[in-house]
Structures are given as structure tokens and as C-alpha cells.
Amino acid sequence: MAMQSDRYASPFFRTLALAVPPRPGARALAAIAAGALAACGFQPLALWPLTLIAIAWLIELAVRARTGRQVFLLGWCFGLGHFTLGNNWIATAFTYQANMPAWLGMIAVVLLALYLALFPAVAMLAGWLVARPDRHPDGRSFAAFAIALGATWIVTEWVRAWLFTGFAWNPLGIALLGGFESRGLAVLTPWIGTYGLSGVLVLLSGVPGMMARLSAGKVLAPIGVAVLAAGLGLAMHAPAPPQREGAVRYTLVQPDVRQEFIDDPRYFERNFQRLALLSLPRNRGDRRVVFWPESGLGDFLRDGYPSYLYRIYTYASDPVIARQRLGRVVGPYGLLMTGAVDLVMDGDEEKAARNSVTAIDGSGAILAGYSKAHLVPYGEYLPMRWLLEPIGLSRLVAGQLDFVPGPGARTIDFGAYGKAGVQICYEIIFSGQVVDPANRPDYIFNPSNDGWFGAWGPPQHLAQARLRAIEEGLPVLRSTTTGISAVIDADGIVRAFVPRHRAGRLDGMIPQAHAPTLFARLGNVLPLALAALLMAVALCVVALGRRRV
């Protein structure tokens, strides 16, 4: 049944109706376009009003659908356009892997989008089944659908973050994160989490349609939308709170080592020299933590491997020498936290590797280590290697060894240097999984190698690190090989950064942590509770509407 537009004949409503093509095939193409439009709200474009418009468009398409199958298809087409454009940076990774053709990169992006699109499709269908606007084409059903969709979107994004190891990249609500000097509506995340913020975005997108239907024939709808837009604009540019500096001094380094040189042994010493020259103490007596990126160091730092491995794969050829020269770089009062690779041995044979952070003091002694727990499938390990490797589908990271996961989020107490939490690269995107709740750190170190991911991946990665800072009330320090390295305070504000493709260092005092936020205490119980509340409200709206009938 079509929506009864004669009952809601305001000019504003007619404008919305024009965005819905009459033919199912055209509506599917419109949904794909809406999905791509929604992705323009993510970094690096950050055109957040387009995301709100795109979701409003998607809702208008759905309420005019006649069957659940049509709604599911609309949600899936939306997801296809959304994830293809938003994840286009993945294709760049294939240009750095000699064993896989570069043209396969865009195919991989589309194949991933075909899977990820199932999540908005399920969210759309579930919300539509609650409201059934096909049976009750009125304002109440529209409102019930928009509210229920906010709930189902929260749940499906949460599921996307853990199903089949999870892919939490670019939750919808990240479009509401402000610029470097503002939190935007992400200021809500300490109470509702990132997935709750996505639900809020869906609700805000449904407001124009609600107003159009509930104020038919009047001027209230465009006025209300104008007021809403002005309020959102002010919120997205709200000034940053004052910074609260801590007592631990840092030096954060970005060496500008490009991806094509990272794994080439001919450049190991040059890469080390870049890091070293950017890390020397300005004052020899400075007590400081020096942060180096993931993948930037060519030496094995741990003892116990067969000697031929040090000769073949490292420049220093001896782990003791490698550690001692690191100690000389940071100085007698320095502490270095650097990305490194550790091996898992079976006798004299290497069986696997660990993507690690190793902490070394000024004497060259290893103080602690952390191994990445949330690995990237097809990047750091190859699922079903027995099947995929013989047909040429090698993993994207060079080498034959798969990485194996560490035990998970942990806090390392360095005494006067503070308590450090570590999240390596991809791990920082998983809301509610970045901190050991039993031992809260003073800051999170997020070393990364974003050189794989073109122009779109690094700013998106930085945005997700900012959300973790706001959720947890903790500063995040990101050191990357070639950008974007940044110091993020506990409010998610970028206090200092080094842009892409530049070498540089940042010096200062690590920002203070806030007291544990509500999200830090309860985690993703909060967005799921919000989803339950929204669903209860949607069901109440449905019940009241049908009682009137």
C-alpha cells in the first residue's frame, strides 16, 4: 500500500516524496546512492549533514515498500553503496602485495561490502516488521519505524563488531564526531557508547519525516527542521574544554617511512636512523616516554632465536646490540615503547609471529611487552590457509608466517612513567574492548602502520581512536609510520598531530585521564539498553496507533 500522500499534502512532504522513485529497480539504485551519500559523512570528507540526509532518504524509501523482502533489499543496497565507498581504502593495500594483483583490491572491497550490507538490511527489516507502515500508512507508523530502526541499527552494529571476529570500522554514528577541536554529538558517547550514537543519528534523520506527517499543511515542518539543523550545527562545532596536562612527559615520533620500504632489509638501517634522529632527548636529564610506531623497527629485540634469524632478518644481527642502541637513543631517563615483531618458535623452527609492543629502558633492558590480540583476517593471518594459499590468495602482509593473537587488553605499570594501556593499530576500533576494566591505565598507546590505506583509511582510523578516548575518558597517543600521528586528550580533542607523509615529533605532557566514565564501567550494556528502550517506545507508539484505529 502506498503512503497516503493526499492526507499529508504539505509542500515539505511532497519534497520528500519526490525522492522515492516509483519502480522497484529505481528504488534499489536510489538506496545504493543513499548508502554512498551516507559514507560522505565519514573522514576525510566529513560532510556529516549528508549522512543525516541519506538516512532520511532511506527511511522514506522503506516506508513506501510493500513487502518485507523489498525492505530487506533496500537495506542491503544501501549497505552495498555505503561500505563500498567508505571502505575504498582497502583496495590500496593490494598495491603493496606482489603476490596479489592490484586489480583484485576493488573486487575485495565490493565482496566485503556484499557481506557487511547484510547488517543494515537486517536492521531495516526488523524495524519495518515492528511498525508495519504498509498496513498502517500514517504518521504514527512512520514514527514507530524510525524509532525501531534506531534500536535495530544499534544492535546490528554491535553484532557486526564481533561476528566472525568482527569488523567494527566506521560505525554510522562516527559521522557525528566533530573536527579536531570539537567533540560534536560524540559528547554523548560516555553515556550511550558509539553504537548508541549511531541510533541517535538514525532518530535525528527520521525527524523531518515525522514533522512532515504530524504537521501536514502547516509551516511547522520546515521551521522545525531548520531549528534542528541550526542546533546540530552549533553542537558539531562546540568549543573544546580546556586541556588538563598530566605529569608524564612524552616524545611521539612519526618517521615518514613509506609502505614500500618497511619490509625491505636494504632500508632497515635508514628507517632506524629516521626514528633515532627524531627521538634524541632535548635535555639529557628528561624523564620521558618515547613512542614509536608499529612496523617501523627492523630488528628482533628478544633473545633465544637461532642466530641465523638475526643475521638474515635484522640489521643489528644481535638482539643485545639492538636493544643497547635503542637505550642510547632515548637516553638514561627515557622509556621507549616501540612496535616490534616477536617469533613463536618450535625448537629452532619459527612457527608463527606476534605483532607486539616492547618497552625498553635507557640501559637497553626489556621492561614489558604486549602482543596484539585482535588480528586482521587476511592481513595478519590467512583463514583456511590450506585452501586459499594454493590458489594464490596470500594474505596482504608480506611473509609466510601467520600472526597469532595475544591475551587481550592489559595495563602495564611503569611507575613514574604512568600506567599504559596498549592497543595496536586495528584494535583501537573495537568499542568496549580497549581497556582492562580491572586495571585502568592512565593513557592508551596506539601504534599503527596506516601506510597501507591510502588517503581515506588514516583519517578514519584517527576518528575511531578519538571515539575510544571519549568513551573511556582516557588520552590516546598514536604513533604511525607515515600519518596521522596524534595526541588525543580524554575528551577526544586532537591536541597535536603530524599529518600524513611528513616526518616529525611531538613533545609535551601526556594529558590527564578523567575519572572512569559510565561507559568505562558498563561498556556496551549501555547502547544495548538504549536499543531496548527505543524498541519499547516504538512498540508503545504502534499499540497507541492501532488502538485509535
Side-chain angles (χ1 to χ4, degrees), residues 186-413:
V187 69
L188 300 174
T189 55
W191 293 278
I192 62 174
T194 292
Y195 308 129
L197 188 64
S198 296
V200 168
L201 189 149
V202 171
L203 287 176
L204 291 173
S205 300
V207 168
M210 295 182 200
M211 289 183 174
R213 288 163 174 84
L214 298 177
S215 59
K218 302 177 183 179
V219 297
L220 294 182
I223 292 175
V225 171
V227 171
L228 175 65
L232 284 173
L234 291 173
M236 291 296 292
H237 296 91
Q243 181 178 5
R244 301 190 305 169
E245 288 188 344
V248 178
R249 186 177 299 278
Y250 71 83
T251 296
L252 188 148
V253 175
Q254 177 172 299
D256 189 25
V257 175
R258 305 298 172 91
Q259 192 61 37
E260 53 267 34
F261 303 123
I262 282 180
D263 294 314
D264 189 333
R266 294 174 298 176
Y267 293 92
F268 281 174
E269 184 62 13
R270 189 196 73 165
N271 297 345
F272 171 78
Q273 292 295 335
R274 283 174 175 256
L275 285 162
L277 290 173
L278 288 167
S279 305
L280 297 173
R282 300 271 168 85
N283 299 295
R284 188 163 177 79
D286 283 347
R287 184 184 298 275
R288 64 189 179 130
V289 184
V290 180
F291 297 104
W292 282 7
E294 177 193 33
S295 305
L297 189 65
D299 292 316
F300 291 132
L301 299 179
R302 296 191 179 273
D303 301 313
Y305 306 150
S307 58
Y308 75 90
L309 290 176
Y310 300 111
R311 291 195 301 271
I312 293 174
Y313 295 113
T314 71
Y315 180 84
S317 75
D318 184 318
V320 175
I321 296 174
R323 296 195 300 267
Q324 287 176 345
R325 72 175 186 167
L326 293 177
R328 289 194 295 271
V329 166
V330 300
Y333 301 102
L335 168 67
L336 173 67
M337 296 184 70
T338 179
V341 173
D342 296 335
L343 296 178
V344 178
M345 304 298 297
D346 182 6
D348 286 343
E349 183 179 358
E350 63 269 29
K351 288 295 187 181
R354 295 187 187 275
N355 188 348
S356 301
V357 164
T358 301
I360 295 175
D361 68 12
S363 69
I366 294 178
L367 300 183
Y370 168 86
S371 294
K372 186 177 182 181
H374 212 129
L375 301 174
V376 183
Y378 303 100
E380 292 173 304
Y381 69 97
L382 184 65
M384 299 185 296
R385 177 177 285 276
W386 58 272
L387 173 64
L388 299 180
E389 188 173 43
I391 61 175
L393 295 181
S394 303
R395 61 186 177 86
L396 294 177
V397 177
Q400 298 301 312
L401 294 179
D402 280 339
F403 287 83
V404 294
R410 59 175 296 194
T411 298
I412 306 171
D413 190 345

Side-chain angles (χ1 to χ4, degrees), residues 15-150:
T15 301
L16 293 177
L18 290 174
V20 182
R23 296 181 180 275
R27 287 198 293 269
L29 291 175
I32 293 174
L37 191 69
C40 294
F42 301 149
Q43 295 289 340
L45 302 180
L47 301 173
W48 59 269
L50 296 185
T51 304
L52 292 162
I53 291 169
I55 299 298
W57 189 8
L58 180 64
I59 293 172
E60 291 292 335
L61 290 168
V63 296
R64 289 170 171 78
R66 297 180 179 180
T67 66
R69 182 178 178 180
Q70 290 179 359
V71 173
F72 185 89
L73 179 62
L74 288 171
W76 186 82
C77 288
F78 172 91
L80 180 61
H82 185 66
F83 293 111
T84 297
L85 181 60
N87 294 333
N88 71 79
W89 51 269
I90 294 175
T92 309
F94 284 75
T95 65
Y96 296 108
Q97 172 55 280
N99 294 328
M100 302 181 75
W103 56 262
L104 191 59
M106 203 59 218
I107 294 177
V109 171
V110 174
L111 290 175
L112 178 62
L114 293 175
Y115 159 67
L116 295 175
L118 294 173
F119 294 96
V122 170
M124 291 283 289
L125 178 59
W128 187 86
L129 289 174
V130 169
R132 292 310 300 257
D134 60 323
R135 296 179 181 174
H136 306 279
D138 55 23
R140 289 179 183 267
S141 290
F142 182 95
F145 174 62
I147 296 168
L149 182 60

